[in-house]
Amino acid sequence: EVQLVESGGDSVHVGGSLILNCEASEFPSSLRFPANQYCLGWFRQAPGKERERVAVIYTGDGYTSYGDAVKGRFTISRDKAKNTPTLQMNDLKPEDTAMYYCAVGPGPFYRGTTCHDRAAYRYWGQGTQVTVSS
């Protein structure tokens, strides 16, 4: 079974920055990654709240999308060698405090907006905690 492992979570002060990485065990050769039409994403969940989309990227055309709360502060990128996402987080705020999850949806998919939906993702990590204090 494919396993995703996040790293980079930490406790920081307001205005700080973090980079979240996602490592994957070997993906099955049957996955159609060569089709280059898959979704990579970061989601987060705070206590008592639903899991929400932070940032996603569609490899078919490089489409990216961000949650309204993080636009202009976070940047998602793709590690092509690993087929996993990386998340650069700047100007962190207390409301960014949450468990952050990386996710991979092998697809194939045909448009970037498909990546907005959690149902598009087959593989999920266990999460890495980000805590922002004032």
Side-chain angles (χ1 to χ4, degrees), residues 10-11 14-15 22 24 34 40-41 44 46-47 49 54 59 62-64 82 94 98 113 121 125:
D10 204 347
S11 295
V14 169
C22 181
L40 303 174
R44 69 185 182 186
K49 295 186 177 182
V54 175
T59 63
Y63 167 90
T64 58
K82 300 177 182 178
T113 51
Y121 298 87

Side-chain angles (χ1 to χ4, degrees), residues 17-51:
S17 297
L18 288 172
I19 298 175
L20 301 185
N21 293 296
C22 181
E23 297 288 334
S25 59
E26 185 174 356
F27 290 103
S29 59
S30 59
L31 288 182
R32 298 178 63 179
F33 282 126
N36 199 32
Q37 292 172 291
Y38 53 97
C39 296
L40 303 174
W42 284 96
F43 295 77
R44 69 185 182 186
Q45 188 167 18
K49 295 186 177 182
E50 291 191 358
R51 190 171 298 190

Side-chain angles (χ1 to χ4, degrees), residues 44-74:
R44 69 185 182 186
Q45 188 167 18
K49 295 186 177 182
E50 291 191 358
R51 190 171 298 190
E52 64 175 353
R53 172 174 54 93
V54 175
V56 300
I57 183 168
Y58 170 58
T59 63
D61 58 9
Y63 167 90
T64 58
S65 178
Y66 297 87
D68 289 341
V70 307
K71 285 180 181 177
R73 300 187 296 121
F74 291 11

